[in-house]
Amino acid sequence: MYIKLVKVYSKNNSCKEIEFKDWVNLILWEKSDKSLLGEKKYKKTNWVWKSIAIDVIKFCLLQDFFHSRLSKIPRDLIEDEEFYLDLIINNNALTIKRGIANEKNPTIILEWEEPIMFAKLDDASEYILSLIFTNQYPNLSFRNFLAPLIKEEECEFKEITKYYSEKYSPFEAAKPQAFFFWIDLSLLKEIRQTIEDLKKVSAKESSLKKEIESSWEKLKDIPKKINTIRWELKTFEEKIEVLETNLASVSIEENLANINTKLEWLHILQSNLIRQIQGIKSLPAVEKINTNDIKNIYNYYTEWMWDAIKKSLDEVIKFKTKIENFQNVLMGNKLAEFNQELKETKGKISLLEQERSKALNLIDNQWLLKDFKNMFSILSSKKDEMTEIEYRYNELERQLPKKRLLNAEKEKLMSDLDNIILSLSENIKEFNDCLMDLWNKIMWNTSISFQIKTSQKKESWFLDFILRADSDWSHSVNRTRTFTYDIALMISNVTRGQHPKFLIHDNIFDVDQDSLIESLALLWELEKNNTFQYILTLNKDKIYSDDWSKIDFDVEWHKVLELTKTNRFFNFEYKEED
C-alpha cells in the first residue's frame, strides 16, 4: 500500500505549483517581520505562506471546506478557482479536481478513464478508499485514515493521537493507530457501542434514582412506601364501597338536574294535551239533519230556480255524511288518543317526581356526599401516586439486569481485545526496537517506550497508545517524540504493511537546533534504504545557520518550494475573514 503525491496546482494559476519527489520534500518559509506588520497581522501572516499550501493539499484530499483555512480567504478572490492534485495510489495514477464554487462535488480522473464527478464528498471518499484498500476494507473513513498522516501545526504535536485542532472523539483518534498495528477495528466498534449502551443505562438509572428520591424517599425505603400506599388504597376502596351503597351515583346533583329538565318538558307536554282535549270538548254537539227535510227543500227550490242549482240531491247528502263523520272522529277517536297520552305523561311525571324526591333527600345529607367526594379524590390521587412510583421503581429495577448483561458483554469483548494485544507482544517489542533506534540517533539515548494498553477506568475510552520519553513535558522533546513515532510507523516492519508510506508535518521542527539537525540527518540516512514520501514545512532560518555544516543534507535538492515575503503561496494579498 502506498500513496504518493505528484503535483498540486490550480486552474487559474492563483497559487504556486508544487511538484513533489520521493523521500523528503521541504517547503521552506520565511518568518514575517513583526516590527513591520504589527502584532495582530504578524500572528495571522506568520503561517499563511506555508500552512495554506498544506491546506490546499488537504482540500484536494477532500477535507471539509469550512474546516480549511481556504474558507477564511475572501470568497471573491477564489470563487472561480479549481485546485488539482496529481497523485498515485498503489498502481493507480489519478487527478483529484475540486473547485471552490462546487466544493461538495469533486471530480476524480483515473488514468485512461473518463472523469467521475461525485454528487457528494462521501461518495468520492469511498471511491478513493476502494483504490487504497484493494483486498480489505477496514472500518475507517478516508478522513479518519488520513488524520495521522497529515498533521497540522495547530495540533502542537503533544500527543500521537492528536492530529488537528478540531475536537474529535478518542475512538476516531485511536482507530487509525489500531489499524497500523493490525488490531481488529470491528471489535473496537463493538466495544464502543457496548460502552455507549452502558452509559445510557447508567444515565437512566441515575435519573430514575434522582427522581424517586427527590419525589418520595430514599431508594432503600421505596418498597415500604409502595406497601404503605397499597394498604391505603385498599382501605379507601372499602370505605368508598360502603358509601356507594348509600349513594346511587357519584353525580347526584348532575342526575337531579337531568330529572328537572325532563320534568319541565313533561309538564309542558301535559299542558298542551289538556288544552287540546278541552278544545275538542268545547266543540258543539253534532246536529242530525233529516234526509226527507233536505229532499223537500231541494224540490221546492228547483221548481223556480231552474238551472241555478245544479248539484244533485245525492251529492248534497254525501257532503252531509262527510261532515258528520269528521265530527264523530274528532269527538271520538282523537279525544281518546289525547286522553291516553295525557295519562302516560302523568305517569312519567309521577315516577320522575319520586326520583327527584330521593335525590333531594340524598343532597340534604351534604356531609355524606362531601365525604364521598373527598374519599374519591384521595383515592384517585393515591392511585396516580402508586402508578407513578411503581413504574419508576420497576423501571429502575429493570436497569440492573441490563447493566449486568452489558458489563458481562463488555468484559468478554475487553478480554478478546486483551488477547489480541497479548498476541501482538512480539510485534510491539519489534516496533519499540525500531523506535529506540531512531530515538538514539536523534537524542543519543534509548529512553523512549511505546505501549498499547486497555483501560477499564476511563468511562469514555478503553484503549490507550502510550508513548513516553525522558523529559517529555518539554515542548521540544514532545515534538521530537511525535516525529520519531510517526517515522517509525512508516518504516517499521511491524506497521509499514498498513501504512501508505506518506506523511506530512506542518512545522513540527519548532525545536532546539540540535534536535532539528539530528532529525534531518536521520531522514537523510533513511532515504538510502527506505521508500517513503515525507513533506515537511520548515522555517528556513533554522537551516541556513552555522550548525548546518555538521550534516550532509542537500537542502536545495529536497526543496520543492520556498516562500518569502515577496514569493507567497497565493499570487495575491488578502486578509483573513473571521
Side-chain angles (χ1 to χ4, degrees):
M1 178 202 306
Y2 71 91
I3 295 174
K4 177 185 173 184
L5 304 192
V6 177
K7 184 168 66 173
V8 64
Y9 50 101
S10 63
K11 181 183 74 171
N12 299 323
N13 298 315
S14 64
C15 67
K16 298 290 184 291
E17 180 181 297
I18 308 175
E19 291 192 24
F20 298 100
K21 308 172 182 180
D22 290 334
W23 302 297
V24 178
N25 294 258
L26 292 178
I27 298 176
L28 301 180
W29 55 280
E30 178 184 52
K31 269 195 173 183
S32 304
D33 190 335
K34 187 188 298 188
S35 63
L36 295 175
L37 293 172
E39 183 70 24
K40 185 174 181 181
K41 191 173 180 182
Y42 170 77
K43 288 181 178 178
K44 288 191 174 184
T45 312
N46 185 33
W47 50 257
V48 164
W49 301 325
K50 50 90 181 177
S51 291
I52 200 71
I54 304 302
D55 270 50
V56 169
I57 294 171
K58 290 167 68 177
F59 179 72
C60 290
L61 290 172
L62 311 182
Q63 180 196 35
D64 180 67
F65 174 70
F66 293 101
H67 286 128
S68 165
R69 291 190 184 98
L70 291 173
S71 65
K72 297 180 181 294
I73 298 175
R75 192 70 178 228
D76 60 306
L77 295 177
I78 56 170
E79 179 71 27
D80 299 326
E81 190 57 283
E82 291 178 345
F83 296 98
Y84 295 79
L85 177 64
D86 296 342
L87 69 160
I88 299 171
I89 297 177
N90 296 329
N91 294 317
N92 301 295
L94 63 146
T95 298
I96 301 173
K97 180 180 77 171
R98 192 175 175 200
I100 299 298
N102 57 345
E103 49 92 11
K104 295 185 182 298
N105 310 111
T107 297
I108 296 178
I109 308 160
L110 201 60
E111 191 175 29
W112 312 116
E113 294 188 15
E114 290 294 318
I116 305 172
M117 184 174 182
F118 292 88
K120 52 185 180 179
L121 290 177
D122 287 346
D123 293 342
S125 296
E126 289 294 317
Y127 179 77
I128 294 176
L129 280 175
S130 70
L131 298 177
I132 297 172
F133 302 108
T134 54
N135 298 322
Q136 57 177 346
Y137 202 81
N139 291 302
L140 277 172
S141 67
F142 183 50
R143 180 176 185 268
N144 205 203
F145 177 67
L146 283 180
L149 307 177
I150 307 177
K151 290 185 177 177
E152 60 186 39
E153 184 175 4
E154 281 72 16
C155 78
E156 297 181 338
F157 306 99
K158 290 180 179 179
E159 300 172 15
I160 57 175
T161 54
K162 187 172 183 182
Y163 315 125
Y164 27 68
S165 57
E166 304 161 35
K167 290 184 178 180
Y168 47 91
S169 72
F171 176 67
E172 295 302 318
K175 276 169 66 178
Q177 300 294 336
F179 173 76
F180 291 145
F181 287 93
W182 305 84
I183 295 173
D184 183 5
L185 298 187
S186 62
L187 176 61
L188 299 191
K189 185 178 180 181
E190 197 172 353
I191 296 172
R192 184 201 187 195
Q193 186 58 56
T194 304
I195 290 174
E196 290 299 314
D197 292 343
L198 258 172
K199 286 168 68 176
K200 288 177 184 177
V201 170
S202 297
K204 188 170 185 179
E205 184 182 46
S206 178
S207 175
L208 285 167
K209 182 178 178 180
K210 186 176 179 181
E211 288 174 8
I212 289 170
E213 292 191 340
S214 63
S215 300
W216 293 285
E217 299 176 12
K218 292 290 184 183
L219 200 60
K220 63 180 181 179
D221 296 325
I222 291 300
K224 291 188 294 183
K225 179 72 174 176
I226 291 174
N227 282 340
T228 300
I229 297 174
R230 188 179 288 115
W231 180 260
E232 290 174 350
L233 281 173
K234 182 181 177 184
T235 304
F236 275 109
E237 284 171 349
E238 288 173 353
K239 288 182 179 180
I240 286 176
E241 189 176 349
V242 173
L243 286 172
E244 282 180 336
T245 306
N246 298 317
L247 298 175
S249 170
V250 177
S251 55
I252 298 171
E253 293 175 344
E254 184 181 346
N255 189 36
L256 181 60
N258 289 334
I259 291 171
N260 286 334
T261 301
K262 289 178 182 178
L263 279 172
E264 184 178 353
W265 183 81
L266 287 171
H267 279 299
I268 292 170
L269 178 62
Q270 179 180 254
S271 298
N272 288 336
L273 288 170
I274 290 171
R275 280 197 298 273
Q276 290 188 64
I277 289 169
Q278 288 174 348
I280 292 173
K281 286 182 177 180
S282 67
L283 291 173
V286 177
E287 185 179 354
K288 299 290 184 179
I289 302 174
N290 190 287
T291 303
N292 291 327
D293 292 339
I294 292 173
K295 286 180 179 179
N296 291 332
I297 293 170
Y298 181 80
N299 290 332
Y300 171 76
Y301 282 105
T302 52
E303 289 179 359
W304 56 273
M305 291 183 70
W306 304 102
D307 294 330
I309 295 177
K310 297 297 183 181
K311 297 287 183 181
S312 67
L313 178 61
D314 290 339
E315 287 175 328
V316 172
I317 293 171
K318 284 180 182 179
F319 180 67
K320 163 187 169 294
T321 304
K322 283 183 179 180
I323 292 174
E324 289 175 350
N325 288 340
F326 173 73
Q327 286 180 320
N328 287 333
V329 169
L330 191 62
M331 295 296 289
N333 297 348
K334 204 64 180 177
L335 185 60
E337 288 178 12
F338 286 154
N339 282 328
Q340 179 62 33
E341 190 174 355
L342 180 62
K343 181 181 177 181
E344 292 174 357
T345 302
K346 286 180 177 180
K348 291 178 182 178
I349 289 172
S350 176
L351 289 173
L352 286 173
E353 288 288 358
Q354 292 175 25
E355 288 184 31
R356 183 171 178 275
S357 178
K358 289 179 182 179
L360 287 171
N361 287 335
L362 289 173
I363 288 176
D364 287 341
N365 296 321
Q366 289 294 328
W367 63 271
L368 195 61
L369 182 62
K370 184 177 180 181
D371 194 26
F372 179 84
K373 286 183 174 180
N374 287 339
M375 282 193 173
F376 193 79
S377 175
I378 293 170
L379 177 66
S380 178
S381 175
K382 288 289 180 184
K383 280 184 176 180
D384 290 344
E385 185 182 12
M386 185 69 176
T387 300
E388 189 72 14
I389 193 171
E390 273 195 320
Y391 168 76
R392 294 187 185 280
Y393 186 72
N394 290 338
E395 191 66 17
L396 179 62
E397 291 288 287
R398 279 191 284 270
Q399 303 312 305
L400 184 59
K402 286 183 183 178
K403 202 171 181 179
R404 284 176 179 163
L405 186 64
L406 286 168
N407 272 317
E409 187 177 344
K410 179 190 171 185
E411 288 299 320
K412 179 185 178 303
L413 294 170
M414 290 297 292
S415 177
D416 292 342
L417 182 56
D418 283 330
N419 288 331
I420 288 175
I421 294 171
L422 187 61
S423 71
L424 293 172
S425 295
E426 288 301 315
N427 286 346
I428 294 172
K429 181 181 177 182
E430 184 179 343
F431 182 79
N432 268 288
D433 289 343
C434 176
L435 196 63
M436 286 189 293
D437 181 53
L438 298 176
W439 187 253
N440 186 46
K441 290 174 179 176
I442 299 172
M443 305 298 288
W444 296 93
N445 67 67
T446 56
S447 297
I448 190 168
S449 67
F450 172 74
Q451 293 175 293
I452 303 176
K453 282 190 171 183
T454 57
S455 172
Q456 297 281 10
K457 294 180 181 179
K458 295 181 181 178
E459 184 180 343
S460 59
W461 190 233
F462 54 89
L463 183 63
D464 294 321
F465 296 85
I466 305 166
L467 181 67
R468 297 302 310 272
D470 279 352
S471 304
D472 56 9
W473 45 265
S474 157
H475 172 86
S476 182
V477 171
N478 266 336
R479 286 172 173 255
T480 306
R481 182 189 62 173
T482 299
F483 164 76
T484 307
Y485 174 79
D486 286 349
I487 294 296
L489 285 176
M490 196 161 55
I491 67 168
S492 167
N493 291 330
V494 174
T495 52
R496 66 181 286 109
Q498 297 285 84
H499 197 287
K501 278 69 76 178
F502 159 75
L503 181 64
I504 297 178
H505 281 159
D506 183 12
N507 197 29
I508 193 171
F509 288 122
D510 183 18
V511 298
D512 63 89
Q513 195 68 6
D514 287 342
S515 296
L516 169 63
I517 290 172
E518 296 299 343
S519 297
L520 290 176
L522 172 65
L523 289 170
W524 178 255
E525 180 184 336
L526 292 174
E527 283 184 339
K528 298 173 184 177
N529 301 308
N530 296 275
T531 301
F532 61 86
Q533 187 179 56
Y534 180 47
I535 299 169
L536 170 68
T537 65
L538 186 64
N539 178 3
K540 72 175 188 175
D541 293 343
K542 285 183 167 289
I543 292 180
Y544 300 121
S545 66
D546 295 338
D547 297 325
W548 201 249
S549 58
K550 294 179 182 179
I551 63 167
D552 183 16
F553 187 86
D554 190 341
V555 174
E556 292 303 316
W557 187 87
H558 289 93
K559 181 176 70 177
V560 293
L561 182 65
E562 182 173 352
L563 300 170
T564 66
K565 290 187 284 290
T566 57
N567 186 45
R568 300 175 179 178
F569 180 71
F570 277 111
N571 300 323
F572 52 80
E573 291 189 21
Y574 67 93
K575 183 179 179 181
E576 275 193 330
E577 295 180 336
D578 293 327

